[in-house]
């Protein structure tokens, strides 16, 4: 072993130990490893930052933006709408949501697919008194296996494809993973359909700041446009929409106010409705019913072409000049360039038009204004901004464009017209260019810690291959597995990746283990493809902990899960994958060198 190899092994080993220790953030540890590698000379300065421009990082970032655009479109909710009335118990909810999440994970990155499905699942679970703990973990596991079926479904697939491309000149294609990943997805969903009963029923979900703020009941004002023809055109239908939290507080018709209208009263074109409900349900109602926000007609003045229109929440302070005033009397739009589009007041239901409602200290306002003028307006009005989150009441929603762009990108990549990174980067730019996602939303969709982790670890992992360390380990492993059937060696390599990923993060696992798998195949005189596939499957299947993959972390709080709950459902599934996947890989990816 040379000094360079020893230093490379020491750097990676120390990085793994710090990852397992968990004292510092993953991204900080990765950056620290990169800095140490540069300092001790195992990472050349000229290639130290190659990870930033690596195709892996571009593909992951683009997939996250595309997932956010599809989520913003509301297309999935529309597709699932006919099924919602039939999902009356966990017995039907688990397979439907698990299947939908798995399919979406084949169209975009798995964490984006799960984030897209969770609000609908939680809403229906709450309405049917189904414990969220019985639904969310199966959805997370389904997103993991669904992501195995296509190149962009999960980070391990993307990284493995690039490793193969660097070694052979030809990376894995978009659907090369599908024969193995598709079958594993079907097997996993069948398992989850019945095995969800292993999960506890009594877990209480933790409530995030966003969830607490979203629970506020807002009142907003909408107009029923001319020629309006919606299937649900009575007051009672508004309440039935969504989670049942929406209320028609009053109808303003022909300059007369109809307070607390009867559920059977028909809503007519030209009516102005005072609606009350939670932000998400109100937004869905306004968008789907084709109602028009009456208080956003006044244009927001933009300081420059690059300025954006934003919507924020703010609390009226005790010394605010707005106390005792109304939006009309204070001339909010004329004096400060902002529109009042919603008000939340605890313990009191407002029945008059928003523009003439007398405001009180402690009221939560939803204000619309330009990105540059809002901070000044909040300060001048004595308003205290709440924790920053995306608030949507009405607004334009591009229902079809994101899906069309995403499908187009997959077709272009699958047919080889463009490389994966280029195809998905162009698609990500397009969804912003057509207005399906604003730049602020695109930036928010980027998972910066994961992108930094991958970008920093690429040069660190390359140091082992560059120094010849990967070949050294492969030679040792080939001696250990000499004379054994290739299937046993393949299973062992998958097990190594599966065991390592809860502690290293799946991207880090692939970056470290994939080059070793390539070297092992070379030492044994076998094709590297099945070993790379085994690493991808093993690293993508963390069913044992909440920390190895973002999907598992995402459901931990809303599901109220404890660390050990993951193994209750995940350990049997891990065994099934470990038994079935090597057989499938060897069937579709023969061991013989072509």
């Amino acid at each position: 072993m040379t000094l360079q190899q020893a230093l490379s092994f020491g750097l990676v080993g120390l990085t793994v130990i710090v990852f397992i220790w968990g004292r510092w953030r993953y991204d900080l540890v990765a950056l620290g490893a990169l800095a140490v590698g540069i300092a001790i000379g195992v990472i050349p300065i000229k290639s130290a930052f190659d990870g930033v421009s690596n195709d892996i990082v571009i593909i992951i970032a683009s997939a996250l933006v595309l997932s956010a655009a599809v989520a913003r479109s509301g297309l999935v909710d529309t597709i699932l709408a006919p099924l919602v009335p039939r999902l009356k118990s966990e017995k039907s909810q688990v397979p439907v949501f698990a299947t939908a999440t798995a399919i979406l994970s084949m169209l975009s990155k798995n964490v984006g697919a799960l984030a897209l499905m969770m609000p609908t699942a939680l809403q229906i679970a709450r309405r049917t008194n189904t414990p969220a703990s019985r639904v969310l973990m199966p959805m997370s596991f389904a997103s993991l296996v669904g992501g195995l079926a296509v190149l962009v479904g999960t980070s391990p697939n993307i990284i493995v494809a690039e490793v193969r491309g660097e070694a052979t000149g030809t990376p894995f294609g978009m659907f090369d993973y599908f024969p193995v990943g598709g079958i594993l997805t079907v097997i996993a969903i069948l398992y989850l359909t019945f095995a969800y009963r292993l999960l506890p029923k009594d877990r209480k979900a933790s409530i995030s700041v966003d969830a607490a703020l979203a629970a506020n009941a807002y009142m907003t004002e909408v107009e029923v446009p001319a020629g309006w023809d919606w299937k649900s055109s009575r007051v009672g239908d508004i309440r039935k929409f969504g989670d049942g939290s929406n209320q028609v507080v009053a109808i303003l018709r022909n300059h007369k106010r109809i307070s607390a209208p009867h559920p059977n009263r028909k809503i007519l074109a030209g009516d102005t409705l005072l609606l009350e409900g939670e932000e998400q349900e109100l937004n869905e109602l306004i968008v789907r019913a084709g109602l028009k926000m009456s208080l956003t007609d006044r244009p927001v003045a933009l300081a420059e072409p690059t300025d954006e229109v934003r919507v924020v929440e703010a609390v009226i302070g005790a010394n605010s000049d707005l106390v005792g005033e109304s939006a009309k009397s204070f001339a909010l739009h004329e004096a400060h360039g902002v529109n009042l589009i919603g008000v939340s007041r605890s313990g009191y239901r407002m029945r008059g038009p928003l523009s003439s409602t007398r405001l009180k200290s402690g009221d939560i306002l939803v204000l619309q204004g330009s990105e540059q003028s809002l901070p000044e307006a909040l300060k001048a009005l004595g308003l205290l901004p709440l924790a920053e989150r995306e608030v949507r009441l009405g607004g334009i929603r591009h229902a079809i464009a994101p899906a069309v762009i995403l499908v187009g990108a997959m077709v272009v990549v699958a047919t080889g017209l463009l490389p994966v990174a280029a195809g998905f980067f162009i698609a990500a730019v397009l969804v912003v260019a057509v207005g399906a996602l604003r730049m602020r939303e695109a930036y928010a969709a980027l998972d910066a810690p994961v992108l930094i982790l991958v970008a920093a670890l690429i040069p660190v992992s390359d140091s082992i291959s560059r120094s010849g360390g990967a070949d050294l380990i492969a030679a040792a492993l080939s001696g250990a597995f000499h004379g054994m059937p290739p299937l046993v060696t393949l299973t062992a390599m998958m097990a190594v990746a599966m065991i390592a990923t809860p502690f290293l993060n799946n991207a880090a696992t692939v970056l470290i283990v994939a080059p070793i798998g390539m070297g092992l195949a070379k030492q044994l005189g076998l094709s590297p493809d099945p070993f790379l596939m085994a690493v991808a499957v093993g690293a993508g299947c963390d069913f044992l902990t909440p920390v190895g993959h973002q999907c598992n972390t995402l459901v931990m709080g809303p599901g109220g899960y404890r660390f050990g709950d993951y193994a209750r459902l995940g350990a049997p599934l891990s065994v099934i994958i470990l038994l079935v996947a090597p057989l499938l890989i060897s069937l579709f990816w023969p061991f013989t060198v072509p």
Side-chain angles (χ1 to χ4, degrees), residues 14 23 38 41 86 154 246 256 362 395 407 453 485 509 529 535 575:
L14 180 61
R23 176 65 177 80
I38 295 171
R86 297 180 173 86
T154 185
N246 296 318
K256 295 181 180 179
V407 172
L453 170 76
T509 297
D529 290 345
V535 171
V575 173

Side-chain angles (χ1 to χ4, degrees), residues 126-437:
R126 184 168 64 247
R127 191 188 310 159
T128 57
N129 294 319
T130 299
S133 59
R134 306 277 269 194
V135 179
L136 294 184
M137 193 183 294
M139 290 173 62
S140 175
F141 289 179
S143 72
L144 296 182
V145 291
L148 297 175
V150 296
L151 174 64
V152 296
T154 185
S155 300
N157 286 3
I158 298 170
I159 298 172
V160 161
E162 291 302 315
V163 170
R164 184 182 191 251
E166 291 175 3
T168 67
T170 307
F172 285 123
M174 176 65 71
F175 299 108
D176 285 348
Y177 300 89
F178 191 79
V180 175
I183 295 174
L184 291 178
T185 299
V186 173
I187 292 172
I189 290 175
L190 289 174
Y191 165 79
L192 294 170
T193 298
F194 301 98
Y196 75 89
R197 296 177 177 86
L198 296 171
L199 292 168
K201 282 186 172 183
D202 57 349
R203 295 286 187 261
K204 185 175 288 188
S206 61
I207 301 177
S208 65
V209 173
D210 278 4
L213 293 176
N216 290 324
Y218 287 99
M219 189 180 80
T220 191
E221 193 173 301
V222 297
E223 294 177 356
V224 182
W228 187 67
D229 183 21
W230 193 45
K231 60 181 180 179
S232 305
S233 58
R234 297 186 183 277
V235 170
D237 297 326
I238 298 294
R239 178 177 175 81
K240 293 176 184 177
F241 183 91
D243 198 26
S245 65
N246 296 318
Q247 301 275 3
V248 179
V249 176
I251 299 176
L252 306 179
R253 180 181 296 169
N254 299 325
H255 305 290
K256 295 181 180 179
R257 184 174 72 239
I258 305 170
S259 297
H262 191 276
N264 285 329
R265 180 175 286 275
K266 193 170 180 62
I267 299 171
L268 305 177
D271 285 348
T272 296
L273 309 180
L274 298 181
L275 299 178
E276 183 184 63
E278 294 181 9
E279 178 249 328
Q280 182 179 333
E281 283 73 29
L282 273 179
N283 181 62
E284 289 297 318
L285 170 64
I286 294 167
V287 172
R288 288 200 199 175
L291 299 171
K292 184 180 179 183
M293 295 289 295
S294 60
L295 299 173
T296 58
D297 286 342
R298 293 166 294 185
V300 173
L302 301 178
E304 49 190 64
T306 57
D307 202 1
E308 289 186 352
V309 176
R310 292 190 60 197
V311 177
V312 299
E313 292 170 296
V315 180
I316 299 179
N319 299 321
S320 171
D321 292 338
L322 281 176
V323 175
E325 300 284 350
S326 66
K328 181 186 292 185
S329 66
F330 205 79
L332 268 181
H333 181 265
E334 292 77 6
H336 298 279
V338 296
N339 293 323
L340 175 67
I341 62 174
V343 178
S344 175
R345 178 178 297 171
S346 178
Y348 178 76
R349 173 170 288 172
M350 295 162 284
R351 299 188 181 279
L354 278 187
S355 59
S356 59
T357 296
R358 296 291 173 179
L359 302 172
K360 295 183 177 181
S361 175
D363 285 352
I364 299 177
L365 309 182
V366 181
L367 298 173
Q368 179 195 58
S370 74
E371 190 173 21
Q372 293 192 23
S373 66
L374 268 173
E376 174 112 11
L378 293 178
K379 182 179 179 181
L381 294 170
L383 302 176
L384 307 174
L386 292 178
E388 186 169 346
R389 69 187 184 100
E390 182 66 25
V391 181
R392 299 190 185 105
L393 287 177
I396 298 173
R397 176 182 279 183
H398 295 259
I400 304 299
V404 171
I405 292 172
L406 176 59
V407 172
M410 296 185 74
V411 171
V412 167
V413 169
T415 55
L417 293 177
L418 283 176
V420 180
F424 275 79
F425 173 74
I426 292 172
V429 173
L430 278 176
V431 295
V432 177
V434 302
L437 207 65

Side-chain angles (χ1 to χ4, degrees), residues 4 45 72 78 87 120 134 167 229 231 256 279 285 305 349 360 395 437 458 493 503 514 526 543 546 550 576 581 593:
Q4 283 292 98
I45 294 178
R72 177 76 173 88
T78 302
L87 304 179
T120 301
R134 306 277 269 194
D229 183 21
K231 60 181 180 179
K256 295 181 180 179
E279 178 249 328
L285 170 64
R349 173 170 288 172
K360 295 183 177 181
L437 207 65
I458 287 173
M493 183 58 63
F503 305 103
L526 303 174
F543 306 125
Q550 308 99 298
I576 292 172
V593 178

